[in-house]
Amino acid sequence: MKKILIFISLVLVVIFLAYQFGLVDLLTDITKLRMYLENLGWWGYFIFIMLSIIVAVFLLPGQFLAIVGGLAYGGFIGGLLTVIGASIGASISFVIGKYVARDYILQRFSQEPAFQKIEQGVRENGLSFLIFTRLVPIFPFAIQSYAYAMTPMSVKKFSFISCLTMIPASFIYAFMASEIASKGVSVTLLLELTAAGVLLALLAYLPKKISKKINQLSTEYKKVK
């Protein structure tokens, strides 16, 4: 109970401070956030990673961070910083959900459709469901980390798969934002966007295909045995 009260108090304090000091406004203003990071120089890398972690842990609006990273630092560095920050944030959220505030999260969100679907998806499809939902954001990204903490999945598996599956979208968003900022919208860019969309669709399809293949092999092995 003590852990839960501390966690709730911390969340409320951070959210209050985020609104009080304009962090939420900053996170939702791409131009202002980009200029802020660029003016920080090398310190901007650290601040960007910290913002990504705070957004993930405290469920703040940060859906544009990969785009801002691409605009401020270019496709490669912006994508890399996004992956690092989002991965650390997701892992911290998962640990908090599993070991610190599990009872509170179950009481607060257990009846939410997103939580129930994730629990069912993991139960029926295992890790392939985590891979799918990370590649295709059918559920809010930040909420996923806390929802998966309610399943039997280990911290090591969640952290590794989350980091791996964040790479494609993070680099694609950062790269596209960087291209638009430097070259504007062109036919080449539209073709690249189309190719990126096809790539993400194929990556999202792979977990189901692999899972089906593993199940088939497992069934055949049992028959032979």
Side-chain angles (χ1 to χ4, degrees):
M1 191 62 186
K2 185 178 178 181
K3 289 180 180 179
I4 294 173
L5 290 174
I6 292 172
F7 173 71
I8 295 172
S9 300
L10 182 60
V11 170
L12 292 175
V13 168
V14 170
I15 292 175
F16 172 78
L17 291 175
Y19 278 97
Q20 191 71 17
F21 290 99
L23 178 58
V24 172
D25 292 334
L26 182 65
L27 287 169
T28 53
D29 189 328
I30 293 178
T31 303
K32 189 186 293 184
L33 182 55
R34 176 192 180 185
M35 292 175 61
Y36 172 74
L37 291 170
E38 287 179 339
N39 291 333
L40 289 173
W42 287 94
W43 275 102
Y45 293 0
F46 174 75
I47 297 298
F48 184 86
I49 290 173
M50 290 304 299
L51 283 175
S52 300
I53 294 172
I54 292 170
V55 161
V57 173
F58 296 101
L59 307 178
L60 295 174
Q63 59 268 36
F64 302 121
L65 279 175
I67 296 173
V68 171
L71 292 173
Y73 303 118
F76 178 73
I77 295 178
L80 182 62
L81 293 174
T82 301
V83 171
I84 293 172
S87 298
I88 296 173
S91 297
I92 292 174
S93 300
F94 186 86
V95 170
I96 290 173
K98 185 169 282 290
Y99 300 112
V100 179
R102 183 180 180 84
D103 292 339
Y104 168 73
I105 292 171
L106 283 173
Q107 290 173 4
R108 175 68 177 82
F109 298 108
S110 61
Q111 300 304 314
E112 293 286 334
F115 267 60
Q116 293 177 353
K117 287 177 182 177
I118 286 175
E119 185 179 10
Q120 181 183 354
V122 172
R123 187 171 59 250
E124 295 176 357
N125 303 288
L127 285 176
S128 63
F129 191 75
L130 170 60
I131 297 171
F132 174 75
T133 55
R134 281 315 204 195
L135 290 171
V136 182
I138 55 177
F139 304 116
F141 176 81
I143 291 178
Q144 285 186 42
S145 301
Y146 288 106
Y148 281 111
M150 301 300 104
T151 71
M153 193 176 297
S154 68
V155 176
K156 187 184 294 185
K157 284 183 180 178
F158 175 82
S159 298
F160 177 73
I161 296 297
S162 285
C163 178
L164 203 62
T165 50
M166 283 182 211
I167 292 173
S170 296
F171 276 96
I172 286 172
Y173 294 148
F175 173 76
M176 293 303 171
S178 177
E179 286 287 292
I180 291 173
S182 60
K183 301 176 183 177
V185 178
S186 63
V187 175
T188 303
L189 179 63
L190 292 176
L191 290 174
E192 289 173 346
L193 280 170
T194 303
V198 172
L199 175 62
L200 286 176
L202 289 174
L203 287 173
Y205 174 73
L206 280 177
K208 187 175 182 180
K209 190 73 174 176
I210 293 171
S211 178
K212 188 181 292 185
K213 188 67 176 177
I214 291 173
N215 289 335
Q216 289 175 352
L217 290 173
S218 176
T219 303
E220 290 175 6
Y221 174 76
K222 289 178 181 178
K223 288 180 180 178
V224 172
K225 190 175 180 181

